[in-house]
């Protein structure tokens, strides 16, 4: 675990229920929770709403059951209520007959905002073209 503390990305380890059993300092900084607070939380507590929490939980359960690593792009809620876009990659690890998910998190909020802006621009351009085509028909 000492080496994990040195990693420049948030690392979270969850048990089979999705309860955090370990987080590194980067995770504390990224989400705003102290270690003690974090260890009282479940993966679903980072979800932006109940529907998203249910999706998170189902994916985790499937991954644990099938011992499959996963990569997801989700939105997470920080302690202060702000929302961040994250790229989550996890592997399944078995230690002493117990199964855990080892997650590495990369914040991608800026990249996702650029993508959302691009998509809005494309939609706007399509509307303008449609309006222009209708105005020239009259």
């Amino acid at each position: 675990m000492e080496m994990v503390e040195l990693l420049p990305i948030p690392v979270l380890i969850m048990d089979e229920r999705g309860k955090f059993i370990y987080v590194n300092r980067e995770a504390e900084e990224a989400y705003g929770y102290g270690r003690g607070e974090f260890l009282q939380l479940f993966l679903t507590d980072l979800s932006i709403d109940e529907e998203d929490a249910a999706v998170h939980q189902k994916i985790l359960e499937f991954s644990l059951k099938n011992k499959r690593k996963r990569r997801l792009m989700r939105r997470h809620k920080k302690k202060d209520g702000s929302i961040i876009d994250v790229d989550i990659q996890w592997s399944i690890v078995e230690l002493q007959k117990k199964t855990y998910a080892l997650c590495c998190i990369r914040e991608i909020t800026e990249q996702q905002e650029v993508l959302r802006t691009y998509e809005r621009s494309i939609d706007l351009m399509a509307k303008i073209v449609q309006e222009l085509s209708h105005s020239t028909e009259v």
Side-chain angles (χ1 to χ4, degrees):
M1 293 301 179
E2 291 174 16
M3 289 178 65
V4 175
E5 285 297 328
L6 299 174
L7 292 174
I9 60 170
V11 175
L12 309 125
I13 300 176
M14 298 174 287
D15 66 14
E16 295 170 324
R17 301 171 299 150
K19 185 175 190 315
F20 296 115
I21 62 164
Y22 173 81
V23 297
N24 68 352
R25 282 187 211 109
E26 286 292 326
E28 292 176 59
E29 288 181 31
Y31 288 92
Y33 292 102
R35 189 161 303 203
E37 293 173 300
F38 233 130
L39 298 180
Q40 300 302 312
L41 300 176
F42 288 78
L43 173 64
T44 55
D45 293 321
L46 301 179
S47 300
I48 58 173
D49 57 36
E50 288 182 22
E51 184 179 322
D52 187 61
V55 169
H56 249 93
Q57 188 63 33
K58 290 291 183 196
I59 293 170
L60 176 63
E61 288 170 5
F62 177 83
S63 186
L64 288 166
K65 179 180 177 185
N66 296 292
K67 300 185 179 14
R68 307 255 332 243
K69 59 184 174 180
R70 285 298 219 212
R71 183 174 186 180
L72 301 168
M73 297 219 207
R74 307 295 301 167
R75 300 189 85 201
H76 276 176
K77 181 174 50 177
K78 295 169 56 168
K79 182 179 179 180
D80 66 6
S82 61
I83 305 296
I84 56 174
D85 293 290
V86 292
D87 179 357
I88 310 166
Q89 295 184 46
W90 70 54
S91 294
I92 305 305
V93 179
E94 284 194 41
L95 296 170
Q96 300 173 344
K97 298 184 181 181
K98 290 189 179 183
T99 306
Y100 302 95
L102 172 64
C103 304
C104 295
I105 309 281
R106 188 169 60 97
E107 184 178 346
I108 56 170
T109 303
E110 287 182 27
Q111 295 93 322
Q112 290 300 95
E113 188 54 40
V114 167
L115 181 60
R116 286 189 283 270
T117 300
Y118 172 76
E119 289 169 347
R120 285 191 299 268
S121 298
I122 294 296
D123 289 344
L124 180 61
M125 291 297 288
K127 287 178 185 175
I128 291 170
V129 168
Q130 186 176 19
E131 287 178 20
L132 286 173
S133 68
H134 287 307
S135 66
T136 57
E137 291 174 6
V138 176

